[in-house]
Amino acid sequence: MWFLGAGASLSAGIPTAWNMIWEFKRALFCSEQRVPISHVENLNDERVRLRIQSYLDDRGDCPTQNAPDEYSFYFERVYPSAGDRQHYIDQLVRKGSPSYGHIVLASLLRTGRSNVVWTTNFDRVLEDAILPLLESSGDLVVADLAHTALGTEALRKHNYPLYVKLHGDFQSKELKNIADELQSQDATHRRNLIQACGGRGLAVVGFSGRDNSIMDTLEEAIDDGHGYPDGLFWFSKTGAPVFSRVTQLIEKARSAGIEAYLIESETFDELMGDLLVLEDKKDWSEKVLKRLDSQRPRLSNALVPSWEGTWPVLRFNALRVEAWPATCRLIKCGVGGQKEVYEAIEATGAEVVAVRRRVGVLVFGSDSEVDKAFGSYKIDHRDLYTIQDHHLKDSYQEHDLLYQALAQAIGRELPVYVRRKGRRRFIVADPAAQNEPSYRPLKKTARSLGGQVPGTKVRWAHAVRIRLDYKSDRLWLLLEPTLWFESPGDAALADRAKEFRRDKLAKLYNSQFNDLIVGWAFLLCGGRGTSKIQAFGIADGVDASFLITSITAFSHRTA
């Protein structure tokens, strides 16, 4: 059997309990402090969460962070009316659609590889995933709080597949989601779960364990070692903290002689995809196979092979930016458009990077340097501004702010020069630093990092044009190897420099180009697998910090 928590629906577009708790906290904070949500929009930013949590802690009447009753407390505080709570859940779950994991689980149910699923979720994504695979909607037994007898009968008569909703769904009149209601969890469903665990194994995924009524039930099902005859397997997100009640449950089960494990898995979709690989699908219907193939993810994280050779088949010139700033400084002053912002920085020599948006000036740098650049324009408001990921797709200004900050960070922390042509940034090798360890792969490929264009005094050096691109919900640093020339001077020298560049680059075949990308990636990561760099290295104001990996995006053959 399977037990699904909110984490199993995250990739289907349904927020987890963690997400909902922080949305409730933010709503309470903004309402009582009269702070616009846009100022604390990015709840993934630790500084934003700290600001909200500090206020709630100071109130003195709120649960401590990560307490088991946070969800019920804040849900009831923000939505005191049961009708409003039901409306909130209604709007929430209608946005969801089945993820690949739900399609796989639906296929396992349809083919009889699994037969019972329990859940605390309100959504209908599993029903939406399995109904197209069934002959009729009546082939799936759904037992919610309004139809508990259906679950009892299905288990007794072995009418499968069975889907049991322990908390009802958003259409149930008995919607349960606050502390008093959770304590009175439906006794029939609990009894059925305990009895079912007496004859089957159970795999739990996406459930935090913060619901005491469910944890009490799962512990009771141990039944002095008579429960979970095929094992108890609890899947938690890789690297995420595990509630003490979960570890206690696993330990109690093991002490009773039950095969019980706590297993890390990155996502519900990846877990189900891994299980699907082990299935012999020879007798599966064409309808099920077509459904699986149509929903198969086309993009996924892949382990980097440890062996040498011609793998990967195709290397991209994109380095993964693992982390980037989620917050910058927002100031409001009398400065005009973007051109005037650039002029103010240049005229004062202030060590900041900034862009102009309608809401104000977005800036990275120390507070004193911000005052130096824009103090003459009468700064009348300072705040933090959240950089949303989706803004990197459609907001040129925020994308450019990160682009400037990343170039500044590279130039500050690495033995290279940063040069600019218009809005384009170039990273230029420093021949004087060629003995630095981080230069070794690049020097081996390029042989000479720079020199003079033959017959002229024009200096040249190996360089790479950098760009930022946001694709597939990830930020990438793109590298384009080229040559940099220091002020060729007149047109004739410029033409000779261009001809020299063409001749040099024309000889870069796939293997040489690949080696250049490897060399630059190694250099930009400081000779390490990953590199954390900061634009200013300041203690005050708002700095821009980036984490870059030297492993490029790649593609390879699939079966």
Side-chain angles (χ1 to χ4, degrees), residues 171-241:
Q171 292 181 340
S172 173
K173 293 182 180 179
E174 299 178 75
L175 182 69
K176 296 180 180 291
N177 47 37
I178 59 174
D180 292 341
E181 295 167 304
L182 289 177
Q183 292 300 320
S184 60
Q185 178 64 271
D186 184 78
T188 301
H189 275 336
R190 287 207 307 271
R191 184 173 62 251
N192 287 341
L193 175 57
I194 293 170
Q195 290 177 352
C197 289
R200 301 171 176 82
L202 182 68
V204 183
V205 59
F207 181 56
S208 66
R210 68 170 65 242
D211 187 330
N212 286 324
S213 66
I214 297 297
M215 296 305 295
D216 290 343
T217 302
L218 295 178
E219 285 188 4
E220 187 176 345
I222 294 174
D223 190 21
D224 293 326
H226 299 293
Y228 309 109
D230 292 314
L232 173 61
F233 308 91
W234 193 293
F235 294 92
S236 64
K237 184 173 176 58
T238 303

Coordinates of all heavy atoms in Angstrom, one line a residue, residues 171-241:
Q171 N -14.3 19.1 -1.4 CA -15.8 19.1 -1.6 C -16.5 18.5 -0.4 O -17.8 18.5 -0.4 CB -16.1 18.3 -2.9 CG -15.7 19.0 -4.2 CD -16.0 18.3 -5.4 OE1 -16.3 17.1 -5.4 NE2 -16.0 18.9 -6.5
S172 N -15.8 17.9 0.5 CA -16.4 17.3 1.6 C -17.0 18.3 2.6 O -16.3 19.3 2.9 CB -15.4 16.4 2.4 OG -16.0 15.9 3.6
K173 N -18.1 18.1 3.1 CA -18.7 19.0 4.1 C -18.0 18.8 5.4 O -18.2 19.7 6.3 CB -20.2 18.7 4.2 CG -21.0 19.0 3.0 CD -22.5 18.7 3.2 CE -23.3 19.1 2.0 NZ -24.8 18.8 2.2
E174 N -17.3 17.8 5.6 CA -16.6 17.5 6.9 C -15.1 17.8 6.7 O -14.3 17.1 7.3 CB -16.8 16.1 7.3 CG -18.3 15.8 7.5 CD -18.5 14.3 7.9 OE1 -18.2 14.0 9.1 OE2 -18.9 13.5 7.1
L175 N -14.8 18.8 6.0 CA -13.4 19.2 5.8 C -12.7 19.3 7.2 O -13.1 20.0 8.0 CB -13.3 20.5 5.0 CG -11.9 21.0 4.7 CD1 -11.2 20.1 3.7 CD2 -12.0 22.4 4.2
K176 N -11.5 18.7 7.3 CA -10.8 18.7 8.6 C -9.4 19.2 8.4 O -8.6 18.6 7.7 CB -10.8 17.3 9.2 CG -12.2 16.7 9.5 CD -12.0 15.3 10.0 CE -13.4 14.7 10.4 NZ -14.0 15.3 11.5
N177 N -9.2 20.3 9.1 CA -7.8 20.9 8.9 C -7.4 21.8 10.1 O -6.4 22.5 10.0 CB -7.7 21.7 7.6 CG -8.9 22.6 7.4 OD1 -9.3 23.2 8.4 ND2 -9.4 22.8 6.2
I178 N -8.0 21.7 11.2 CA -7.5 22.5 12.4 C -7.5 21.5 13.6 O -8.0 20.4 13.6 CB -8.4 23.7 12.7 CG1 -9.9 23.3 13.1 CG2 -8.4 24.7 11.6 CD1 -10.7 24.4 13.5
A179 N -6.8 22.0 14.7 CA -6.4 21.1 15.7 C -7.6 20.3 16.3 O -7.5 19.0 16.4 CB -5.7 21.9 16.8
D180 N -8.7 20.9 16.7 CA -9.8 20.2 17.3 C -10.3 19.2 16.4 O -10.7 18.1 16.8 CB -10.9 21.2 17.7 CG -10.4 22.1 18.9 OD1 -9.4 21.7 19.6 OD2 -11.0 23.2 19.1
E181 N -10.4 19.5 15.1 CA -11.0 18.6 14.1 C -10.0 17.4 13.9 O -10.4 16.2 13.8 CB -11.2 19.3 12.8 CG -12.3 20.4 13.0 CD -12.3 21.3 11.7 OE1 -11.3 21.9 11.4 OE2 -13.4 21.4 11.1
L182 N -8.7 17.7 13.9 CA -7.7 16.6 13.7 C -7.8 15.6 14.8 O -7.5 14.4 14.6 CB -6.3 17.2 13.5 CG -6.1 17.9 12.2 CD1 -4.7 18.5 12.2 CD2 -6.2 17.1 11.0
Q183 N -8.0 16.1 16.0 CA -8.1 15.2 17.2 C -9.2 14.2 17.0 O -9.2 13.1 17.6 CB -8.2 16.0 18.5 CG -7.0 16.8 18.8 CD -5.7 15.9 19.0 OE1 -5.8 14.9 19.5 NE2 -4.6 16.4 18.4
S184 N -10.3 14.6 16.3 CA -11.4 13.7 16.2 C -11.4 13.0 14.8 O -12.5 12.8 14.2 CB -12.7 14.5 16.4 OG -12.8 15.5 15.4
Q185 N -10.2 12.7 14.3 CA -10.1 12.0 13.1 C -11.0 10.8 13.0 O -11.2 10.1 14.0 CB -8.6 11.5 12.9 CG -8.3 10.8 11.7 CD -8.5 11.7 10.4 OE1 -9.6 11.7 9.9 NE2 -7.4 12.3 10.1
D186 N -11.6 10.6 11.8 CA -12.6 9.6 11.7 C -12.2 8.2 12.1 O -11.2 7.7 11.6 CB -13.1 9.6 10.2 CG -14.2 8.6 10.0 OD1 -15.4 9.0 10.3 OD2 -14.0 7.5 9.6
A187 N -12.9 7.7 13.1 CA -12.5 6.4 13.7 C -12.5 5.2 12.7 O -11.7 4.3 12.8 CB -13.3 6.1 14.9
T188 N -13.5 5.3 11.8 CA -13.6 4.2 10.9 C -12.4 4.1 10.0 O -11.9 3.0 9.7 CB -14.9 4.3 10.0 OG1 -16.0 4.4 10.9 CG2 -15.1 3.2 9.1
H189 N -12.0 5.2 9.4 CA -10.8 5.2 8.5 C -9.6 4.7 9.3 O -8.8 4.0 8.8 CB -10.6 6.6 8.0 CG -11.4 6.9 6.7 ND1 -11.8 5.9 5.9 CD2 -11.8 8.1 6.2 CE1 -12.5 6.5 4.9 NE2 -12.5 7.8 5.0
R190 N -9.4 5.2 10.5 CA -8.3 4.8 11.3 C -8.3 3.3 11.6 O -7.2 2.6 11.5 CB -8.2 5.5 12.6 CG -7.8 7.0 12.5 CD -7.2 7.5 13.8 NE -8.0 7.2 15.0 CZ -8.9 8.1 15.4 NH1 -9.2 9.2 14.8 NH2 -9.6 7.7 16.5
R191 N -9.4 2.8 11.9 CA -9.5 1.3 12.2 C -9.2 0.5 10.9 O -8.5 -0.5 10.9 CB -10.9 1.0 12.7 CG -11.1 -0.5 13.1 CD -12.4 -0.8 13.7 NE -13.5 -0.5 12.8 CZ -14.4 0.6 13.0 NH1 -14.2 1.4 14.0 NH2 -15.4 0.8 12.1
N192 N -9.7 1.0 9.8 CA -9.5 0.3 8.5 C -8.0 0.4 8.1 O -7.4 -0.6 7.6 CB -10.3 1.0 7.4 CG -11.7 0.7 7.4 OD1 -12.1 -0.3 8.1 ND2 -12.6 1.5 6.8
L193 N -7.3 1.5 8.4 CA -5.9 1.6 8.1 C -5.1 0.6 9.0 O -4.2 -0.1 8.5 CB -5.4 3.0 8.4 CG -3.9 3.3 8.2 CD1 -3.4 2.9 6.8 CD2 -3.6 4.8 8.5
I194 N -5.4 0.5 10.3 CA -4.7 -0.4 11.2 C -4.9 -1.8 10.7 O -4.0 -2.6 10.6 CB -5.2 -0.2 12.6 CG1 -4.8 1.2 13.1 CG2 -4.7 -1.3 13.5 CD1 -5.5 1.5 14.5
Q195 N -6.2 -2.2 10.4 CA -6.4 -3.6 9.9 C -5.7 -3.9 8.6 O -5.2 -5.0 8.4 CB -7.9 -3.8 9.8 CG -8.7 -3.8 11.1 CD -10.2 -3.9 11.0 OE1 -10.7 -3.8 9.8 NE2 -10.9 -4.1 12.1
A196 N -5.7 -2.9 7.7 CA -5.0 -3.1 6.4 C -3.5 -3.3 6.6 O -2.9 -4.1 5.9 CB -5.3 -2.0 5.4
C197 N -2.9 -2.6 7.5 CA -1.5 -2.7 7.8 C -1.2 -4.0 8.4 O 0.0 -4.5 8.4 CB -1.0 -1.6 8.7 SG -1.0 0.0 7.8
G198 N -2.2 -4.7 8.9 CA -2.0 -6.1 9.5 C -1.7 -7.1 8.5 O -1.3 -8.2 8.8
G199 N -2.0 -6.8 7.2 CA -1.9 -7.9 6.1 C -1.0 -7.4 5.0 O -0.8 -8.1 4.0
R200 N -0.5 -6.2 5.0 CA 0.2 -5.6 3.9 C 1.4 -4.8 4.4 O 1.5 -4.4 5.5 CB -0.7 -4.7 3.0 CG -1.9 -5.4 2.4 CD -2.8 -4.3 1.8 NE -3.9 -4.9 1.1 CZ -5.0 -5.3 1.7 NH1 -5.2 -5.2 3.0 NH2 -6.0 -5.8 1.0
G201 N 2.3 -4.5 3.5 CA 3.4 -3.5 3.7 C 2.9 -2.1 3.4 O 1.8 -1.9 2.8
L202 N 3.6 -1.1 3.8 CA 3.2 0.3 3.6 C 4.4 1.1 3.2 O 5.5 1.1 3.9 CB 2.5 0.9 4.8 CG 2.0 2.3 4.7 CD1 0.8 2.4 3.8 CD2 1.6 2.9 6.1
A203 N 4.3 1.9 2.2 CA 5.3 2.9 1.8 C 4.7 4.3 1.9 O 3.7 4.6 1.4 CB 5.7 2.7 0.3
V204 N 5.4 5.1 2.7 CA 4.9 6.5 3.0 C 5.8 7.5 2.2 O 7.1 7.4 2.3 CB 5.0 6.8 4.5 CG1 4.5 8.2 4.8 CG2 4.3 5.7 5.3
V205 N 5.2 8.4 1.5 CA 6.0 9.4 0.8 C 5.3 10.7 0.8 O 4.1 10.8 0.7 CB 6.2 8.9 -0.7 CG1 4.8 8.7 -1.4 CG2 7.0 9.9 -1.5
G206 N 6.1 11.8 1.0 CA 5.5 13.1 1.0 C 4.8 13.5 2.2 O 4.2 14.6 2.3
F207 N 4.9 12.7 3.3 CA 4.2 13.0 4.6 C 5.2 13.4 5.6 O 6.2 12.6 5.9 CB 3.4 11.8 5.0 CG 2.6 12.0 6.2 CD1 1.7 13.1 6.4 CD2 2.7 11.2 7.3 CE1 1.0 13.3 7.5 CE2 2.0 11.3 8.5 CZ 1.1 12.4 8.6
S208 N 5.0 14.5 6.3 CA 6.0 15.0 7.2 C 6.0 14.3 8.6 O 7.0 14.2 9.3 CB 5.8 16.5 7.5 OG 4.6 16.7 8.1
G209 N 4.8 13.8 8.9 CA 4.6 13.2 10.2 C 4.2 14.1 11.3 O 4.2 13.8 12.5
R210 N 3.8 15.4 10.9 CA 3.4 16.4 11.9 C 2.0 16.1 12.4 O 1.6 16.8 13.4 CB 3.6 17.8 11.4 CG 2.6 18.1 10.3 CD 2.7 19.6 9.9 NE 4.0 20.0 9.4 CZ 4.8 20.9 10.0 NH1 4.5 21.5 11.1 NH2 5.9 21.2 9.4
D211 N 1.2 15.3 11.8 CA -0.2 15.0 12.2 C -0.1 13.9 13.3 O 0.1 12.7 12.9 CB -1.0 14.6 11.0 CG -2.5 14.5 11.3 OD1 -2.8 14.1 12.5 OD2 -3.3 14.7 10.4
N212 N -0.4 14.2 14.5 CA -0.3 13.3 15.6 C -1.3 12.2 15.5 O -1.1 11.0 15.8 CB -0.4 14.0 17.0 CG 0.8 14.8 17.3 OD1 1.9 14.3 17.0 ND2 0.6 15.9 18.0
S213 N -2.5 12.5 15.0 CA -3.6 11.5 14.9 C -3.2 10.4 13.9 O -3.4 9.2 14.1 CB -4.9 12.1 14.5 OG -4.8 12.6 13.1
I214 N -2.5 10.7 12.8 CA -2.0 9.8 11.8 C -0.9 8.9 12.4 O -0.8 7.7 12.3 CB -1.6 10.4 10.5 CG1 -2.8 11.1 9.9 CG2 -1.0 9.4 9.6 CD1 -3.9 10.2 9.4
M215 N 0.1 9.6 13.1 CA 1.2 8.9 13.7 C 0.8 8.0 14.7 O 1.3 6.9 14.9 CB 2.2 10.0 14.2 CG 2.8 10.9 13.1 SD 3.6 10.0 11.8 CE 4.9 9.1 12.6
D216 N -0.2 8.3 15.5 CA -0.8 7.4 16.6 C -1.3 6.2 15.9 O -1.1 5.0 16.4 CB -1.9 8.1 17.4 CG -1.4 9.2 18.3 OD1 -0.1 9.2 18.5 OD2 -2.2 10.0 18.7
T217 N -2.0 6.4 14.8 CA -2.6 5.2 14.0 C -1.5 4.3 13.5 O -1.6 3.1 13.6 CB -3.5 5.7 12.9 OG1 -4.5 6.6 13.4 CG2 -4.1 4.6 12.1
L218 N -0.5 4.9 12.9 CA 0.6 4.1 12.3 C 1.4 3.3 13.4 O 1.8 2.2 13.2 CB 1.5 5.0 11.5 CG 0.9 5.6 10.2 CD1 2.0 6.5 9.5 CD2 0.4 4.6 9.3
E219 N 1.5 3.9 14.5 CA 2.2 3.3 15.6 C 1.4 2.1 16.2 O 1.9 1.0 16.5 CB 2.5 4.2 16.8 CG 3.7 5.2 16.5 CD 4.1 6.0 17.7 OE1 3.5 5.8 18.7 OE2 5.0 6.9 17.5
E220 N 0.0 2.3 16.3 CA -0.8 1.3 16.7 C -0.8 0.1 15.8 O -1.0 -1.1 16.2 CB -2.3 1.8 16.9 CG -3.2 0.8 17.5 CD -4.6 1.4 17.8 OE1 -4.7 2.7 17.7 OE2 -5.6 0.6 18.0
A221 N -0.6 0.4 14.5 CA -0.6 -0.7 13.5 C 0.6 -1.6 13.6 O 0.6 -2.7 13.1 CB -0.7 -0.1 12.1
I222 N 1.6 -1.3 14.4 CA 2.7 -2.2 14.7 C 2.3 -3.4 15.3 O 2.8 -4.5 15.0 CB 3.8 -1.4 15.5 CG1 4.4 -0.3 14.7 CG2 4.9 -2.4 15.9 CD1 5.4 0.6 15.5
D223 N 1.3 -3.3 16.2 CA 0.6 -4.4 16.9 C 1.6 -5.5 17.3 O 1.5 -6.7 17.0 CB -0.4 -5.0 15.8 CG -1.3 -6.0 16.5 OD1 -1.5 -6.0 17.7 OD2 -1.8 -6.9 15.7
D224 N 2.6 -5.1 18.1 CA 3.5 -6.0 18.7 C 4.2 -6.8 17.7 O 4.6 -8.0 18.0 CB 2.9 -6.9 19.8 CG 2.4 -6.1 21.0 OD1 3.0 -5.1 21.3 OD2 1.3 -6.5 21.6
G225 N 4.5 -6.3 16.5 CA 5.2 -7.0 15.5 C 4.3 -7.7 14.5 O 4.9 -8.3 13.5
H226 N 3.0 -7.7 14.7 CA 2.1 -8.4 13.7 C 1.7 -7.6 12.5 O 1.2 -8.1 11.5 CB 0.8 -8.9 14.5 CG 1.1 -9.8 15.6 ND1 1.6 -11.1 15.4 CD2 0.9 -9.7 16.9 CE1 1.7 -11.7 16.6 NE2 1.3 -10.9 17.5
G227 N 2.0 -6.3 12.6 CA 1.7 -5.4 11.5 C 2.8 -5.3 10.5 O 3.9 -5.7 10.7
Y228 N 2.4 -4.7 9.4 CA 3.4 -4.5 8.3 C 4.2 -5.7 7.9 O 5.4 -5.7 7.9 CB 4.4 -3.3 8.6 CG 3.7 -2.1 9.1 CD1 3.8 -1.7 10.4 CD2 3.0 -1.2 8.2 CE1 3.2 -0.5 10.9 CE2 2.4 -0.1 8.7 CZ 2.5 0.3 10.0 OH 1.9 1.4 10.5
P229 N 3.5 -6.8 7.6 CA 4.2 -8.1 7.3 C 5.2 -7.9 6.1 O 6.2 -8.7 6.0 CB 3.1 -9.1 7.0 CG 2.0 -8.3 6.6 CD 2.0 -7.0 7.4
D230 N 4.9 -7.0 5.2 CA 5.8 -6.8 4.0 C 6.6 -5.5 4.2 O 7.2 -5.0 3.2 CB 5.0 -6.7 2.7 CG 4.3 -8.1 2.4 OD1 5.1 -9.1 2.4 OD2 3.1 -8.1 2.1
G231 N 6.7 -5.0 5.4 CA 7.6 -3.9 5.6 C 7.0 -2.6 5.7 O 5.9 -2.3 5.2
L232 N 7.7 -1.6 6.3 CA 7.3 -0.2 6.5 C 8.5 0.6 5.9 O 9.6 0.6 6.4 CB 7.0 0.1 7.9 CG 6.8 1.6 8.2 CD1 5.5 2.1 7.5 CD2 6.6 1.8 9.8
F233 N 8.2 1.4 4.9 CA 9.2 2.2 4.2 C 8.8 3.6 4.1 O 7.8 4.0 3.5 CB 9.4 1.6 2.8 CG 9.7 0.1 2.7 CD1 8.6 -0.8 2.6 CD2 10.9 -0.4 2.9 CE1 8.8 -2.1 2.6 CE2 11.2 -1.7 2.9 CZ 10.1 -2.6 2.7
W234 N 9.6 4.5 4.8 CA 9.2 5.9 4.9 C 10.2 6.7 4.1 O 11.4 6.7 4.4 CB 9.3 6.4 6.4 CG 8.7 7.7 6.6 CD1 9.1 8.9 6.1 CD2 7.5 8.0 7.3 NE1 8.3 9.9 6.5 CE2 7.3 9.4 7.2 CE3 6.6 7.2 8.0 CZ2 6.2 10.0 7.8 CZ3 5.5 7.8 8.7 CH2 5.3 9.2 8.6
F235 N 9.8 7.3 3.0 CA 10.6 8.1 2.1 C 10.6 9.6 2.5 O 9.5 10.2 2.6 CB 10.1 8.0 0.7 CG 10.3 6.6 0.1 CD1 9.3 5.6 0.2 CD2 11.5 6.2 -0.5 CE1 9.4 4.4 -0.3 CE2 11.7 4.9 -1.0 CZ 10.6 4.0 -0.9
S236 N 11.8 10.1 2.7 CA 11.8 11.6 3.1 C 12.7 12.3 2.0 O 13.5 11.6 1.4 CB 12.5 11.8 4.5 OG 13.8 11.3 4.5
K237 N 12.5 13.6 1.9 CA 13.3 14.3 0.9 C 14.8 14.4 1.3 O 15.1 14.6 2.5 CB 12.8 15.7 0.8 CG 13.5 16.6 -0.3 CD 12.8 17.9 -0.5 CE 13.6 18.8 -1.5 NZ 13.7 18.1 -2.8
T238 N 15.6 14.2 0.3 CA 17.1 14.1 0.6 C 17.5 15.4 1.3 O 17.2 16.5 0.9 CB 17.8 14.0 -0.8 OG1 17.4 12.9 -1.5 CG2 19.3 14.0 -0.5
G239 N 18.2 15.2 2.4 CA 18.8 16.3 3.2 C 17.8 17.1 4.1 O 18.2 17.9 4.8
A240 N 16.5 16.7 4.0 CA 15.5 17.5 4.8 C 15.4 16.9 6.2 O 15.7 15.7 6.4 CB 14.1 17.4 4.1
P241 N 15.2 17.8 7.2 CA 15.0 17.2 8.6 C 13.8 16.3 8.7 O 12.8 16.5 8.0 CB 14.9 18.5 9.4 CG 14.3 19.5 8.5 CD 14.9 19.2 7.1

